[in-house]
């Protein structure tokens, strides 16, 4: 990225060229070509996403129990069921599950092991995310600047947050894909505005994925209305909005038809989710699952994007400062610079809107930020591009002009390299510390180890269970008592004869409630467990509710164990980043380990 002054018409705030020409009445949109071809970008994004598909730990038990388990039920006839899938509540979309069950079923034709289906689904998610990323990369490169596109790519392939979100089987990840597609479409105004298609993309993300993600389309609608007012095209704007609304309505009707088939009653899932999250009343709603302070997302995003998140937050102030001081180093009319500020303000605003909305919600989870991850990369890329433009000016009368270009290039390059290294070290640290739950069940796949009707029991490690895809055919996961006193997932009803297709989807499961109240029917006694998964830490002793099963060699034998990070003995720095496990590394900053074990009951 050479440090040089940009031409007057593109220096500083990167106005989307198509929109500028639309306002000025030009028939040609001088789009620039990306630094790498779009198909090459797709290959690059796919490669990094596939690494995540193979190695990224599951960070949220919702991904297992609300999505992988229902998918397993559709394809294999059994699985764990959460209360959200009870027909009484109907908070989860079977259409979303079907979209993933189909590639899962396709994967079963290539291998007899269910774990292959798990990774096949993840690989399809990796490609879907890569397609969205490459589309946004291409649009940003052409409409804003090839340099911004290149920075966006660097951010997206090196950020720990994107590493996990890219292949997470979660509606918020799906909304991230559609948000990137909608943003890419909004930047492409060749021929005419495509706000109706932008609305459709965000609508798909909100209807099939997560309804709250539709808030991200607001700036694009307002921007379109402002430009339509300037160009006296309000009627055409209204026609396109109606077009986009009709498309979203058709998608909603399709979803309602699918949900009615599975639930055996009419369900409007987005409406149910809004009612539950906003109007649940005392003792219900998301707050009963825990609350966090207002700055939770700021701290979380710093972990997942570090320096890039700081640049993303700085995008708005940097654009305003550039506008105020722009006359000093950017030629062009005042109206032209004001137009640049307006266009870029709309473009960077979704991230601020998203943070504002969710920072003041008491219940917070990392996955709630996923839909805005594309905007983090875009905002940060715009900020860094603007800084590089400023540094690139060679006017000897300015302070920046007196600094050697080589020095400035070295500073920028080193800063980017450090940011990338921090992201890679964070990714390596998380994968090496917490991947054991994806590995430990492999011992069950060996011939003669597990048989039909065997049970694999989970106590305090119930929330790290990756899915029934990791168990052999007809081997069921069961829960035993632990210190957790909330509502555990039940099991889909496996009745078939006389109940039509997928009876477990509409038959009322026992012991479900929306108040997170413990149900004794969800657990079994350890005497019924064939296998058991548990963790063992050197400085922790067992309790009555959570005995030290790994140490009880009289009842259990080790089948397979993997290292698992002992967070209670590991320093903050070593928990955040990967550090080498070598003797010469200072003891204070080393990582300390426990064991994650699969046990088998002794005869």
């Amino acid at each position: 990225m050479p440090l040089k002054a940009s031409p007057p018409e593109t220096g500083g705030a990167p106005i989307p060229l198509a929109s500028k020409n639309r306002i000025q009445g030009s028939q040609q949109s001088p789009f620039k070509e990306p630094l790498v071809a779009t198909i090459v970008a797709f290959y690059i994004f796919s490669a990094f996403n596939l690494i995540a598909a193979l190695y990224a730990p599951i960070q949220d038990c919702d991904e297992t129990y609300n999505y992988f388990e229902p998918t397993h039920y559709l394809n294999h006839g059994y699985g764990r069921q959460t209360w959200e899938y009870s027909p009484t509540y109907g908070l989860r979309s079977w259409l979303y599950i079907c979209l993933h069950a189909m590639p899962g079923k396709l994967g079963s034709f290539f291998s007899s092991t269910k774990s292959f289906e798990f990774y096949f689904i993840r690989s399809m998610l990796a490609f879907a995310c890569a397609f969205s990323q490459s589309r946004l990369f291409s649009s940003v490169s052409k409409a804003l600047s090839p340099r911004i596109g290149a920075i966006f790519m660097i951010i997206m392939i090196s950020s720990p947050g994107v590493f996990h979100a890219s292949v997470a089987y979660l509606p918020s990840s799906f909304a991230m894909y559609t948000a990137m597609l909608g943003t890419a479409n909004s930047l492409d105004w060749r021929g005419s505005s495509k706000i109706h298609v932008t609305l459709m993309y965000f609508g798909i993300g909100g209807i099939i994925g997560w309804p709250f993600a539709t808030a991200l389309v607001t700036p694009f609608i307002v921007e379109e209305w402002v430009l339509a007012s300037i160009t006296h095209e309000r009627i055409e704007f209204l026609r396109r909005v109606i077009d986009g609304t009709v498309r979203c309505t058709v998608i909603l009707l399709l979803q309602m038809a699918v949900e009615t088939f599975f639930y055996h009653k009419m369900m409007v899932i987005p409406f149910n989710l809004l009612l539950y999250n906003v109007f649940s009343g005392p003792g219900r709603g998301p707050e009963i699952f825990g609350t966090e302070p207002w700055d939770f997302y700021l701290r979380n995003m710093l972990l997942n994007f570090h320096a890039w998140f700081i640049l993303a937050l700085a995008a708005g102030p940097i654009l305003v400062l550039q506008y105020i001081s722009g006359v000093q180093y950017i030629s062009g009319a005042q109206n032209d610079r004001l137009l640049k500020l307006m266009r870029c303000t709309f473009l960077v605003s979704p991230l601020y809107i998203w943070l504002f909305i969710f920072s003041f919600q008491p219940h917070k989870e990392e996955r709630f930020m996923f839909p805005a991850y594309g905007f983090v990369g875009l905002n940060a890329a715009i900020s860094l591009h603007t800084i590089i433009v400023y540094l690139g000016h060679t006017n000897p009368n300015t302070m920046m002009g007196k600094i050697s270009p080589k020095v400035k290039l070295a500073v920028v390059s080193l800063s980017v390299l450090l940011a990338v290294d921090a992201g890679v070290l964070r990714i390596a640290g998380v994968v090496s510390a917490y991947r054991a739950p994806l590995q430990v069940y492999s011992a069950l796949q060996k011939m003669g180890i597990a048989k039909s009707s065997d049970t694999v029991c989970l106590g305090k490690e119930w929330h790290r269970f990756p899915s029934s895809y990791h168990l052999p055919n007809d081997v069921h996961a069961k829960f035993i008592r632990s210190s957790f006193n909330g509502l555990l997932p039940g099991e889909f009803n496996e009745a078939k004869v006389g109940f039509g297709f997928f009876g477990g989807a509409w038959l009322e499961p026992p012991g479900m409630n929306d108040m997170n109240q413990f149900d004794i029917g969800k657990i079994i006694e350890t005497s019924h467990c064939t296998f058991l998964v548990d963790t063992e830490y050197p400085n922790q002793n067992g309790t009555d509710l959570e005995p030290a099963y790994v140490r009880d060699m009289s009842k259990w034998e080790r089948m397979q164990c993997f290292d698992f990070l002992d967070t209670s003995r590991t320093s903050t720095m070593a928990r955040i980043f990967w550090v080498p496990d070598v003797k010469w590394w200072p003891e204070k900053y080393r990582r300390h380990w426990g064991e994650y074990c699969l046990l088998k009951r002794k005869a």
Side-chain angles (χ1 to χ4, degrees):
M1 293 179 291
L3 293 168
K4 60 181 181 181
S6 301
E9 68 274 15
T10 59
I15 179 175
L17 297 170
S19 64
K20 181 178 177 182
N21 280 275
R22 174 189 173 192
I23 293 173
Q24 294 177 346
S26 170
Q27 298 300 314
Q28 300 296 323
S29 295
F31 282 84
K32 297 181 179 180
E33 289 302 314
L35 294 180
V36 299
T38 303
I39 186 62
V40 175
F42 173 75
Y43 293 148
I44 294 172
F45 285 125
S46 295
F48 283 87
N49 292 349
L50 284 172
I51 293 173
L54 293 174
Y55 295 102
I58 291 180
Q59 294 188 307
D60 193 324
C61 63
D62 259 21
E63 185 176 355
T64 292
Y65 294 111
N66 272 327
Y67 303 104
F68 273 115
E69 286 299 288
T71 306
H72 186 274
Y73 166 71
L74 291 189
N75 286 342
H76 297 279
Y78 65 96
R80 307 301 308 193
Q81 180 184 24
T82 64
W83 67 271
E84 291 99 323
Y85 282 93
S86 167
T88 301
Y89 308 106
L91 296 182
R92 302 302 177 195
S93 170
W94 281 105
L95 174 57
Y96 179 67
I97 299 300
C98 289
L99 293 176
H100 298 76
M102 288 185 286
K105 192 65 176 178
L106 178 63
S108 67
F109 296 125
F110 299 100
S111 175
S112 59
T113 61
K114 291 190 299 179
S115 59
F116 180 86
E117 297 175 40
F118 173 88
Y119 288 106
F120 194 84
I121 292 172
R122 271 193 153 190
S123 298
M124 294 301 101
L125 292 172
F127 289 126
C129 184
F131 176 77
S132 303
Q133 290 169 316
S134 58
R135 280 280 289 116
L136 184 53
F137 161 81
S138 177
S139 293
V140 165
S141 297
K142 293 176 180 178
L144 301 182
S145 162
R147 180 194 285 155
I148 295 178
I151 298 171
F152 172 80
M153 175 183 285
I154 292 171
I155 294 171
M156 297 301 279
I157 64 177
S158 66
S159 297
V162 179
F163 179 80
H164 293 285
S166 62
V167 296
Y169 185 0
L170 291 167
S172 49
S173 282
F174 181 80
M176 178 184 73
Y177 305 162
T178 57
M180 287 192 285
L181 290 173
T183 305
N185 183 81
S186 74
L187 291 170
D188 183 6
W189 273 353
R190 285 172 290 187
S192 63
S193 166
K194 298 181 179 65
I195 186 63
H196 53 298
V197 183
T198 299
L199 273 170
M200 182 189 69
Y201 279 127
F202 281 97
I204 291 173
I207 295 168
I208 300 177
W210 203 35
F212 306 101
T214 54
L216 291 168
V217 77
T218 305
F220 299 103
I221 297 176
V222 175
E223 174 197 33
E224 178 70 16
W225 177 81
V226 170
L227 293 175
S229 299
I230 295 174
T231 57
H232 307 290
E233 296 177 351
R234 293 188 185 91
I235 300 300
E236 184 63 19
F237 162 73
L238 182 61
R239 186 194 69 78
R240 291 192 178 107
V241 169
I242 293 174
D243 184 351
T245 303
V246 169
R247 297 180 187 214
C248 292
T249 303
V250 171
I251 295 166
L252 179 60
L253 292 174
L254 171 64
Q255 185 196 49
M256 290 174 61
V258 174
E259 309 309 336
T260 301
F261 170 80
F262 281 97
Y263 283 111
H264 280 211
K265 63 171 72 173
M266 183 175 290
M267 289 286 187
V268 185
I269 302 300
F271 181 69
N272 290 354
L273 275 171
L274 288 171
L275 281 180
Y276 171 75
N277 283 278
V278 181
F279 303 107
S280 291
R284 290 177 167 84
E287 289 81 5
I288 65 175
F289 297 101
T291 60
E292 299 289 346
W294 69 271
D295 63 341
F296 171 84
Y297 288 126
L298 297 180
R299 291 181 281 111
N300 181 263
M301 296 287 266
L302 281 172
L303 275 178
N304 284 325
F305 289 94
H306 41 85
W308 302 126
F309 180 60
I310 296 173
L311 282 173
L313 289 181
I318 285 176
L319 293 175
V320 172
L321 287 173
Q322 185 200 37
Y323 171 75
I324 294 173
S325 61
V327 68
Q328 301 173 13
Y329 60 91
I330 299 177
S331 61
Q334 177 76 7
N335 288 342
D336 184 55
R337 294 195 296 110
L338 183 60
L339 176 62
K340 292 182 179 185
L341 176 65
M342 182 193 74
R343 289 289 290 122
C344 287
T345 298
F346 283 124
L347 192 57
V348 303
S349 62
L351 175 62
Y352 300 109
I353 293 173
W354 196 253
L355 281 171
F356 177 80
I357 292 173
F358 282 91
S359 291
F360 292 97
Q361 303 302 313
H363 179 65
K364 299 177 177 67
E365 296 186 39
E366 179 178 321
R367 60 192 167 99
F368 294 170
M369 286 291 105
F370 287 3
Y373 276 6
F375 295 104
V376 176
L378 179 57
N379 284 25
I382 289 174
S383 290
L384 184 55
H385 164 81
T386 306
I387 292 171
I388 290 173
V389 168
Y390 174 70
L391 293 176
H393 288 285
T394 56
N395 186 344
N397 296 323
T398 64
M399 182 180 67
M400 280 298 154
K402 296 177 181 179
I403 300 176
S404 167
K406 292 183 179 180
V407 172
K408 291 185 283 189
L409 177 60
V411 170
V412 171
S413 300
L414 182 60
S415 299
V416 171
L417 183 61
L418 288 175
V420 171
D421 287 345
V424 172
L425 287 175
R426 170 69 178 164
I427 292 170
V430 171
V431 169
S432 59
Y434 302 111
R435 190 167 175 255
L438 290 175
Q439 300 172 293
V440 75
Y441 298 92
S442 61
L444 297 174
Q445 307 298 335
K446 297 177 182 178
M447 187 70 68
I449 296 297
K451 61 182 183 296
S452 178
S453 76
D454 278 350
T455 57
V456 177
C457 289
L458 304 152
K460 65 176 182 287
E461 291 303 310
W462 72 270
H463 62 290
R464 292 194 178 102
F465 177 56
S467 75
S468 295
Y469 281 104
H470 292 74
L471 306 181
N473 290 325
D474 297 320
V475 173
H476 288 58
K478 301 286 184 178
F479 298 127
I480 57 176
R481 196 64 193 257
S482 69
S483 60
F484 178 73
N485 60 359
L487 181 65
L488 290 163
E491 294 183 90
F492 283 103
N493 194 310
E494 298 175 26
K496 297 178 181 178
V497 179
F499 295 97
F501 295 103
F502 308 114
W506 65 270
L507 291 170
E508 189 65 44
M512 294 297 189
N513 64 79
D514 62 348
M515 296 177 287
N516 200 29
Q517 294 177 345
F518 180 77
D519 174 48
I520 192 68
K522 303 293 190 298
I523 62 173
I524 66 172
E525 296 296 326
T526 56
S527 58
H528 299 296
C529 301
T530 314
F531 301 93
L532 190 148
V533 173
D534 199 25
T535 48
E536 167 67 19
Y537 300 108
N539 64 337
Q540 294 183 13
N541 297 316
T543 64
D544 291 339
L545 289 177
E546 297 176 349
Y549 295 107
V550 178
R551 299 178 191 174
D552 188 359
M553 305 304 293
S554 63
K555 294 181 180 179
W556 302 96
E557 62 175 308
R558 296 185 179 210
M559 296 293 294
Q560 188 166 247
C561 292
F562 290 91
D563 287 342
F564 196 74
L565 190 69
D566 185 349
T567 57
S568 66
R569 296 189 299 139
T570 303
S571 68
T572 301
M573 188 60 65
R575 293 199 305 269
I576 293 176
F577 299 110
W578 176 86
V579 295
D581 294 317
V582 292
K583 293 182 179 180
W584 52 265
W585 195 260
E587 176 70 22
K588 180 180 178 180
Y589 300 107
R590 287 184 197 172
R591 297 194 293 180
H592 298 275
W593 300 95
E595 290 184 296
Y596 199 93
C597 295
L598 172 68
L599 309 175
K600 183 178 181 180
R601 176 176 292 279
K602 288 186 175 180

